[in-house]
Each structure stands twice: as C-alpha cells, then as structure tokens.
Amino acid sequence: MDPVGVAAAPEAGPGPAWQSKCPWGTPKTASISCSLADVMSEQLAKELQLEEENAAFPEVVAVAEGPLITGENVDTSSDLMLAQMLQMEFDREYDAQLRREEKKFNGDSKVSISFENYRKVHPFDSDSSEDEVDWQDTRHDPYRADKPTITPKKGFIGKGKDITTKHDEVVCGRKNTARMENFAPEFQVGDGIGMDLKLSNQVFNALKQHAYSEERRSARLHEKKEHSTAEKAVDPKTRLLLYKMVNGGMLETITGCISTGKESVVFHAYGGKSATEDDKVIPSECAIKVFKTTLNEFKNRDKYIKDDYRFKDRFSKLNPRKIIRMWAEKEMHNLTRMQNAGIPCPQVVILKKHVLVMSFIGQDQVPAPKLKDVKLNSEDMKKAYYQVLNMMQRLYKECNLVHADLSEYNMLWHDGKVWLIDVSQSVEPTHPHGLEFLFRDCRNVSQFFQKGGVAEAPNERELFNAVSGLNITAENEVDFQAEIEALEKMNEDHVQNHGKKVSTFSTDGDPPIYNE
C-alpha cells in the first residue's frame, strides 16, 4: 500500500484588509507532510516519550539496562504479557527510587542502612542475581521440618532383611521431631535446619508434658492479671464499680491511693451531693477500701470466717472469691457494731461487693498518722493508753468482738484521740480461737506502751484479765495460755452439744470500764 500523502492547504489569495487582520482567520502556517505508518509507529511514540521524560527529569539515571521493549521483539498480542511487562517496568522504577533514597540517606557514613527488603523482586526481572535466594519463591522451605515417611496400614515397609516397622527407633525419632510443631508458639523448640533430629519417646513425652504445664501456667497468670487487683491499681470490674459511684453522684472524684497492704488498697475520694440508697449522709472526704481479689492473700485467712458463727453457714472453701466479698461484709458489720457503741472508728457509707466506702480519718487528703509513726509526749502517750484500754473493754463487752489484729499499726491518732481501723478479721469471743486472738492483742498493746514509757501499762496477762473479766491466775505465760485453750475447748464443746452461741466463760463480774 502506497503511503497516502496529506497535501498542504493552498495559500489564501488576496482579499480585503479587514480579512487579513481578523484574529479568527485561517493561519498561514503550512502542515508538514508525513506518512500514516510513521504516525501509527510504536517506535516513534516510545522515542517521543523518552524525549519528554529526559526533558522533564534530566538527572534521573536510566534504569532500563536491558534491550528496549518494542512491538518488534515482544509478542504484544497477549494481555498477560503486557501486564507483566508493565509491572516489571514499574518494579524497576521503584527499585531505582529506593536505591537513590538509600544512597541519599547513607551518604558517606560508615554504617549504612539497606532498603533491600523493600525491593520489588519480580520473577521476570533479569537484573536479579542468581546467587540471591528468596525463600518465599522456592518450593522447599528449609525451616520447615521434613515430613516423616508414612508407614502403610500393614505396619511395615521393605522386604526381607530391610523391613522397617512403625516402631523403628529412627522412624519414631523423626516422627517425634515433626510433632514438636504442634507445641504452643510460646514454647521454644529450637532450630534444626539441616539436622536429622531424632527424639526418643521418653524425651518427647517429657517435653510435651512440660509444654502443657507451661501453657496452663501462662493461662493462670493471665487470669490472675485480669481478675486481680495489683499494687496501687484495680482490675476492670473494680474500676467499673468506682465509675458507677462517681457517675451516680455518690462520689465527686477519686484523688488517688493513700495506703496499700497485703489485703487491700485504700483510695481517697471526695463525697458527692447525692445520698445513698438508705439516705445516709455522705461525708465530704471518703476512704475507699478495695479488697484485693488475689486469692493467695486469703488462703491463710479462712479461719477467721469459717469458725465465725455469723458466717459459718455461708462459708465455702471451694469458692474463694466469695470469701473476699464476705471479708468486706464482715468489716462492714464490725464497724457498724463499733459505731453503735460509740467507739472511734470510720463510718460506713456503702458496700459494693468487695469495695467498702467509709469516712476518711484525716483532713485535706492527708490521712491521720498511725500510732506507730506519731511522736507523743508522756501525757499524750498515757492518755492514748487509757483510751485504748477503754476501747478494748467496750469492744469486748458491748460489741462482743475481739479485734484479733490490734497493734500500733491499726490505730490512728487524730484530733487528740485514738481511732481503730482494719477490723475485717475481728471475731466474737465465742470463736474457737477468740481468746487466743485477745491475748495476742493484749501482748502487742502492752509491749508498745511499755516501750513508750507508760508506767501504768501492765503486762499482757494482767491486761487480758482487765479486758475480758476472767480471773486466770497463772504464774507463767505457758500455763496462762494453757488455761485459755482449756476455756476455748470447753466453750466449743458446749456450743456443739447445745447449739448455743452464748459464752460459758465464768467471770467474777464485769471488769471496770476505764474512762479517760
């Protein structure tokens, strides 16, 4: 086919002056004649595109090192081939840009950073080195253990002397090595690339048992972290209870932690304007006692509840979390008894599960100091002793309680008087170990005030008789404790036989109540 020429337009003849000056007139430029084959040539389009790219980006290094891809040396009839060619060109340009960024970033530094992992490694890229190995492109993964030879149903392979059963030591060893992949991801089984590892049944069973025990231990630790209160922190359920108190208007704000112990965490809060459900007036400053839900702290504390007649029917050692709520309920009831008797103690506001809200003993977020930390003169120390003696007697007679953990650590000094706190472990005198707890309290109180220089402070035996009203005349401490145990045993037998919660201790009348 002959090329079709495109003739130039004839020049415009002479005409009026207005026609030559008209801006909408026909231009006098002549068209360049070219063939249709040149216009449709891909070679010409490629050259024009390269000229435009070189004019726009003069500093760009040419990355196409291979032969020019044209319609003459590549079959462009396949859409798949065209897509692969376009993807390869894009990958090369992207890799060239990465190399420029890498060179610009490293500069002349001795320590260089490589972007090799971000390169677009294309299977049709002819520039990739044959020495480089991409494990994702290979069919064999060296980090995956070889599958052991499958034993047929008949139980053996081979013939004659070369027979191998499924109980073969080598076959079992390789099977055990392959089974190690089924262990938990947290259990590190090591790396055996290129090694023909064989584990005996004894070793594999030991590793399997250890892996299962570690998995169960990890699950227990996770459950403990989710369902327990940590140091100066609360678990999600406790946090939700506190949020409800604040959103309900019972509390205005919770400022922070003021005390931590092995059993609970105490927070300071400002009281809200709304009253409680039973129309109790909320004090301006409150103390929030959050009992820790860690079970290990209450393993040795069940004796304070299981032998208490108030909670004996509800005690269940199979559900330790209920013990924690009963522990908080027990402190609420004990504080209510003390408050009704007029003993200085925190006022109960509300109890929500294991969160107990009380009045704050202190002022302006500063808690009252413990009797152990405060420095008192001789008069104040003597005054504090008679206050403690009076509270112990009223606690025993009027409240029918024994503190069971009374010491200078659980007594606060505020407004010139002693306040009792932490009565969650307090029990009644009819408790099987009630008198033992009382004697221990008397020993702690007597030793503290004797060291403080109070001459009127008696020894623990005299203080025990003064508080309880019992007339135990024993010359030494061993005989004294023996008589206490005998009284407890007698009272326990009486309760079991008659089913009454009334003490059978014989006293010589009520002891005198020491006032200030």
Side-chain angles (χ1 to χ4, degrees), residues 17 91 115 143 174 204 280 381 427 439 458 490 495 502 504:
D91 292 345
F115 296 156
Y143 292 95
R174 290 172 179 170
F204 175 75
K280 282 187 179 180
M381 185 65 73
V427 297
F439 184 75
M490 181 178 61
V495 171
V502 181
T504 59

Side-chain angles (χ1 to χ4, degrees), residues 164-180:
T164 303
T165 65
K166 62 181 181 180
H167 302 291
D168 184 70
E169 182 178 1
V170 177
V171 175
C172 289
R174 290 172 179 170
K175 285 184 178 180
N176 293 336
T177 305
R179 289 172 185 169
M180 291 177 62

